[in-house]
Amino acid sequence: MTIRRLPRAPGRADSASRQPVAPPAPVGRRRFAELTGSWRAALRIARRESRRSRRRTVLVLAMIAMPVAALAFLAASYDMAELTPQERVDRRLGVADAQLQWIANAPVGQDEWGEGWYTRDGELPAKVTAAQLTELLGPGSRVTEVRQRVPLTLRGPHRDEVVNGRVLDLADPLARGLVRFRAGRAPQQAGEVAVSPVALRRLDLRLGRAVAAADGSRAYTVVGVVEFPDDLGPVVALHPGAVPSTGPEPDGVWLADVPGTVDAALVSRLNDRGVVVTARHWIAPTTGADRTWFGSIVGSDPNDLSTGILIAGLGLLEVVLLVGPAFAVGVRRRRRDLALVAVAGGDAAQLRRVVLADGVVLGVLGAAAGLLVGVGAAFAGRPLMEQYVFSARFGGYRCWPSALVLLGGVAVLAGVLAALAPAWTAARQDVSAGLAGRRTPAKSQGRWLVLGLTLVVGGAGLAAFGATQTSPAVVLTGLILGELGLVCCTPTLLGALAGLGRVLPLAPRIALRDASRNRAAAAPAICAVMAAVASSVALGGYLASDVARDARAYRPALPTGHVMVNPIGSAGQPTLAQITDAARTQFGVGAVAQVQTPTCGAGPTGYCDVTPVLPLTRACPWQPGVQLPAAQRQQARADPRCQIREADYFGGYVETGVDDGTALPLLTGVDPATTAAATAVLRAGGVVVTDPRYLHDGLVTVRVGDVGGEPNRPITVRDLPGYALPRATGQPRLLLSAAAARQLDLTWSPTGWVIGTTTPPDEEQQARFTAAIRPFGTFSLMVEYGGAPRDVSPLLLLLAAAAGLITVGAAGIATALAAAEGRAELTTLAAVGAAPAVRRLLAICQAGVIAGLGSVLGIVAGLGTAAIVLVSVNRQYATDWPVSDPYPFLVPWPALGILVLVPVVAMLGAGLFTRARLPIERRLD
């Protein structure tokens, strides 16, 4: 083949032909392409690494997915439980066309769904009949009444049971659409009822059996088992003939069936007559309706919202601290790969992207797994949530997509934040050390210690300020800042503790050295333990102090163990001997006295206000509940006449009774000598008071005012011979003798009985006593237990258990990661002749360093936080009047006992699950 060159002009050199040059890409587009390619490569590396390190991947996924699954379960359950307006209307109407409620005898305005209404004037109409409503609706319409809440007490197998009674005719198709029949038929007459499944179990009934009212007035036959979708609790459906309507029914509604449609004209006509209409389909409000009367839909309290966000932030911080060690160990195991990336031209930003991509990939996978598990569990556990949590049937199947998207984003954010510190460390590692496989010595920079101490001090001050302002959001912000400060200080603390290892035996010395050298993995685990323990101890200390404050402020109504029996409604009046027999049989005591209350005589039937009057020289010049200037509050706190405590919830109320000395020791708990002296005064025609301030010159001034009786009845004020009990238990009382009551123109009648017992009767004894007096009517029992009925011990133990679980988990994770990282060192120990038990002992010491140090820091931080909050709150109340009881500083010893044992459990678990045999990588023959 011959190549012929083209002729060229003499003196001209050969030149290459010019090719067209493309214009350079814009700088922004080029940078975006580089960034996209860098992230694409980093994500591919992260995906490959997640497949190679399967155990670490599963560990991180579990820690991210578990809280996401729990929150997704709650979000989906809440969304299904929150009915839409159309679902609420369908549930209220059943098969009816509309629901009517006659609320006034004047025009009313309402919203589209009939859930909000207003009326400027008018009163509740008299008894509403079906004929009146059908006349308003027009020919061809039909209505049936439904009364939603009728108090009903039935006799159960062991005690009287209070159930919700609903009056409706289930034989009518309109009302039948409100329920779901499970068995039997609809009640046809007044003596028949249909019960819900819960009421059937609680009352131990079957179809065809009878159940009696608690007062024995009548009995009902169970003919059906029905379920009300809006109330899965104990409900009894009564026939309208069982509870005839006698007057206005505030809770009564009417279901209507109309021949046509419920349009805006019909709604407007009914509104003009005072009837609120709930139609099946949305009805536009009438023209000119003043919707400002409906008020405004107020969202959640901003303080509650900010508190919830901060609590979620604490949970996110806990997840980040738990996941962080796994990423730190992964970076150390990949330091040669990262060094190769740097040698190939990767800069610090690209190295950070490689590590952050791990957080993105694992965060996305954890979010997806958690959302799938949480939503699936919500759908599968829907019947249980309906029955035992919400006590109502849910609406449609839905899962709150916006909340799930937010949860997924938070999960990805948690993965990225957990990888942030390891990414920053990887970008700053020595390339030559990484290629050679050498460990870079850990350095504690002083600026992190300074930043940590600054955050701790600032967080403590902010928490104290929030406590004085009673702002939980500010307090939580201070706690978060303080915990972040301790996180910054922990690496320096580990470096300082590593110096103590030289005086310790081999295993703890190696454990402290490894924790100091691997601070990127050990510090987050320790901080996770510290945060959980500190939160548990701080909250436990506050709850314990609050309970102690309530117990100190508690004022019993009766001596401890005594029982007050009062009739309910039109109950009969058993004799004193019958009550005494029942008390002797069931409680084993016979100390029973009748309690009598004075009423106005000579015609009036209104309530009588019979009170003792303080002498002017002993009365406080200021009244509680009035806002006083600071100077007057200080004067009131210093005035001995004004030593009124804020917790005195009896206030100035004095309970008045008529007694001859029989009920006095049972009501007040005074000794026999005091009882004898008081009884002598009563039998002489005097009065007895439990507050000595009312006694002046041997007299007690008593004032009688007729409340609700004759408007022109004068107020009676008398000075009567009196006696003041030196020490009495219970609320303030004024006991009148019969002669004193007659002087005041009062009559009296029995209102109950007081029973003196040595110890408070338990629920079984109370049930037996109630059953013994049931033939006489329905009665209420009030038992004095001698203290505020509040026990937070289970809550404290639950908090401690949650913190302990996090402690054991963090210690186990850190120990397992340290064992995987230190395999080469274990091989060296085996080569130099170390005993096999050294490996197990080393694991125990490593778990002890993580759990022990984190628990100690958490307990100190928690107690300090509780002390700051309590001192700040007490300073806030230091100038209040009436005087507030201060919060005592108490250590939650039950919680601390568990938290002290948790590190021991973590160490034992590490020793139990660690193999004793040391690994041997290579054998030389």
Side-chain angles (χ1 to χ4, degrees), residues 151-238:
L152 185 63
T153 304
L154 302 176
R155 293 182 180 178
H158 305 292
R159 61 179 61 89
D160 294 341
E161 299 286 351
V162 179
V163 298
N164 181 22
R166 294 194 179 184
V167 181
L168 71 168
D169 186 4
L170 291 179
D172 192 321
L174 288 178
R176 190 183 183 92
L178 299 179
V179 303
R180 300 173 184 172
F181 267 88
R182 295 297 184 86
R185 59 175 178 82
Q188 303 291 339
Q189 53 188 354
E192 296 178 343
V193 295
V195 300
S196 65
V198 175
L200 194 74
R201 292 192 299 269
R202 186 172 297 181
L203 296 172
D204 193 19
L205 296 173
R206 297 291 184 272
L207 287 177
R209 291 190 179 181
V211 59
D215 56 3
S217 59
R218 63 183 309 166
Y220 305 96
T221 302
V222 178
V223 297
V225 180
V226 296
E227 176 187 286
F228 290 88
D230 62 333
D231 189 355
L232 301 182
V235 183
V236 175
L238 299 167

Side-chain angles (χ1 to χ4, degrees), residues 140-515:
S141 59
R142 189 169 59 86
V143 296
T144 183
E145 185 181 14
V146 177
R147 279 178 275 167
Q148 299 287 348
R149 293 176 180 85
V150 176
L152 185 63
T153 304
L154 302 176
R155 293 182 180 178
H158 305 292
R159 61 179 61 89
D160 294 341
E161 299 286 351
V162 179
V163 298
N164 181 22
R166 294 194 179 184
V167 181
L168 71 168
D169 186 4
L170 291 179
D172 192 321
L174 288 178
R176 190 183 183 92
L178 299 179
V179 303
R180 300 173 184 172
F181 267 88
R182 295 297 184 86
R185 59 175 178 82
Q188 303 291 339
Q189 53 188 354
E192 296 178 343
V193 295
V195 300
S196 65
V198 175
L200 194 74
R201 292 192 299 269
R202 186 172 297 181
L203 296 172
D204 193 19
L205 296 173
R206 297 291 184 272
L207 287 177
R209 291 190 179 181
V211 59
D215 56 3
S217 59
R218 63 183 309 166
Y220 305 96
T221 302
V222 178
V223 297
V225 180
V226 296
E227 176 187 286
F228 290 88
D230 62 333
D231 189 355
L232 301 182
V235 183
V236 175
L238 299 167
H239 189 271
V243 188
S245 178
T246 58
E249 298 290 346
D251 294 331
V253 297
W254 295 79
L255 299 179
D257 178 23
V258 297
T261 60
V262 181
D263 53 11
L266 177 61
V267 173
S268 177
R269 187 171 71 253
L270 293 173
N271 288 163
D272 292 340
R273 297 295 300 272
V275 180
V276 175
V277 183
T278 300
R280 181 169 299 280
H281 302 290
W282 181 82
I283 298 296
T286 55
T287 305
D290 186 5
R291 297 188 57 82
T292 59
W293 281 75
F294 299 135
S296 59
I297 300 176
V298 182
S300 301
D301 188 355
N303 292 329
D304 295 341
L305 180 61
S306 58
T307 301
I309 293 175
L310 291 173
I311 292 176
L314 279 174
L316 177 64
L317 176 62
E318 194 70 24
V319 173
V320 169
L321 293 175
L322 287 174
V323 177
F327 285 105
V329 171
V331 167
R332 283 202 304 271
R333 299 186 68 177
R334 299 166 55 195
R335 55 181 176 268
R336 178 175 173 81
D337 297 340
L338 295 173
L340 289 175
V341 173
V343 170
D347 56 6
Q350 290 172 334
L351 291 177
R352 285 195 294 268
R353 293 189 192 112
V354 170
V355 180
L356 289 176
D358 288 347
V360 173
V361 170
L362 296 180
V364 170
L365 293 177
L371 293 177
L372 289 176
V373 171
V375 174
F379 287 171
R382 170 174 168 145
L384 298 178
M385 294 292 291
E386 290 174 339
Q387 184 67 52
Y388 298 105
V389 178
F390 291 89
S391 190
R393 293 298 177 196
F394 290 174
Y397 280 88
R398 44 184 178 265
C399 57
W400 202 352
S402 58
L404 298 187
V405 170
L406 179 61
L407 288 177
V410 171
V412 176
L413 178 63
V416 172
L417 291 178
L420 188 60
W424 190 266
T425 303
R428 301 179 61 185
Q429 73 170 350
D430 187 359
V431 177
S432 60
L435 291 174
R438 297 193 307 268
R439 187 188 300 269
T440 304
K443 297 180 181 180
S444 296
Q445 299 183 3
R447 61 184 179 182
W448 289 110
L449 179 61
V450 173
L451 176 62
L453 293 177
T454 303
L455 289 176
V456 169
V457 175
L462 188 61
F465 173 76
T468 59
Q469 301 298 319
T470 319
S471 175
V474 178
V475 173
L476 283 174
T477 304
L479 294 181
I480 293 176
L481 292 178
E483 289 186 3
L484 290 176
L486 292 175
V487 170
C488 296
C489 296
T490 302
T492 305
L493 180 61
L494 280 176
L497 291 177
L500 301 176
R502 65 190 64 178
V503 299
L504 297 176
L506 176 63
R509 182 166 68 249
I510 296 177
L512 277 176
R513 184 207 63 182
D514 287 347

Side-chain angles (χ1 to χ4, degrees), residues 492-806:
T492 305
L493 180 61
L494 280 176
L497 291 177
L500 301 176
R502 65 190 64 178
V503 299
L504 297 176
L506 176 63
R509 182 166 68 249
I510 296 177
L512 277 176
R513 184 207 63 182
D514 287 347
S516 177
R517 291 170 59 182
N518 303 326
R519 298 176 191 178
I526 293 173
C527 293
V529 175
M530 177 199 65
V533 173
S535 302
S536 173
V537 172
L539 187 56
Y542 178 80
L543 289 176
S545 301
D546 190 41
V547 170
R549 180 175 181 260
D550 290 344
R552 181 186 302 173
Y554 181 74
R555 301 293 184 267
L558 294 170
T560 302
H562 290 200
V563 181
M564 179 68 73
V565 182
N566 296 107
I568 298 177
S570 58
Q573 290 290 342
T575 63
L576 179 62
Q578 292 168 332
I579 296 292
T580 303
D581 291 341
R584 184 180 295 110
T585 303
Q586 307 302 333
F587 298 153
V589 296
V592 182
Q594 196 169 50
V595 178
Q596 303 186 91
T597 302
T599 56
C600 290
T605 57
Y607 168 73
C608 283
D609 181 22
V610 184
T611 57
V613 181
L614 276 175
L616 294 178
T617 56
R618 300 178 185 177
C620 180
W622 296 281
Q623 294 296 326
V626 179
Q627 296 294 333
L628 300 177
Q632 293 186 9
R633 289 201 305 269
Q634 185 176 2
Q635 294 177 6
R637 290 175 65 92
D639 195 330
R641 300 171 299 174
C642 302
Q643 298 305 306
I644 304 173
R645 310 196 70 83
E646 185 184 32
D648 186 11
Y649 39 78
F650 293 118
Y653 174 73
V654 178
E655 184 170 347
T656 306
V658 178
D659 187 35
D660 59 356
T662 305
L664 185 144
L666 300 179
L667 293 173
T668 60
V670 294
D671 56 81
T674 305
T675 301
T679 301
V681 173
L682 289 173
R683 292 179 178 175
V687 300
V688 174
V689 291
T690 57
D691 190 347
R693 296 181 304 163
Y694 292 109
L695 185 65
H696 57 94
D697 300 328
L699 301 174
V700 174
T701 303
V702 181
R703 179 180 59 198
V704 178
D706 184 12
V707 180
E710 295 179 357
N712 298 325
R713 179 185 175 95
I715 296 177
T716 304
V717 179
R718 294 283 181 89
D719 289 335
L720 301 173
Y723 179 81
L725 301 178
R727 288 181 300 275
T729 303
Q731 66 187 82
R733 296 183 184 276
L734 168 65
L735 297 179
L736 306 172
S737 62
R742 294 189 188 96
Q743 292 184 43
L744 298 171
D745 196 19
L746 299 174
T747 59
W748 57 92
S749 59
T751 56
W753 300 265
V754 59
I755 304 173
T757 60
T758 55
T759 57
D762 55 27
E763 292 186 1
E764 184 178 354
Q765 290 177 312
Q766 297 178 40
R768 291 201 303 263
F769 177 81
T770 304
I773 61 176
R774 182 182 293 168
F776 307 106
T778 305
F779 300 86
S780 66
L781 270 64
M782 193 278 290
V783 181
E784 180 56 60
Y785 292 94
R790 183 183 177 194
D791 184 13
V792 297
S793 298
L795 181 57
L796 294 179
L797 296 179
L798 180 61
L799 292 173
L805 182 63
I806 294 176

Side-chain angles (χ1 to χ4, degrees), residues 53-102:
S53 305
R54 297 183 183 275
R55 294 183 179 180
R56 182 176 68 91
T57 300
V58 171
L59 177 65
V60 174
L61 289 181
M63 287 187 290
I64 294 178
M66 283 192 296
V68 172
L71 294 175
F73 174 84
L74 295 177
S77 298
Y78 174 80
D79 195 26
M80 290 187 291
E82 192 71 13
L83 303 180
T84 64
Q86 188 62 54
E87 288 174 340
R88 290 197 298 270
V89 169
D90 292 341
R91 182 165 293 182
R92 292 166 60 186
L93 267 61
V95 298
D97 294 329
Q99 176 184 280
L100 310 179
Q101 186 177 10
W102 204 328

Side-chain angles (χ1 to χ4, degrees), residues 101-106 122-128 132 247-249 273-274:
Q101 186 177 10
W102 204 328
I103 60 172
N105 53 11
E123 300 177 352
L124 193 67
K127 179 181 177 181
V128 180
Q132 293 174 316
E249 298 290 346
R273 297 295 300 272

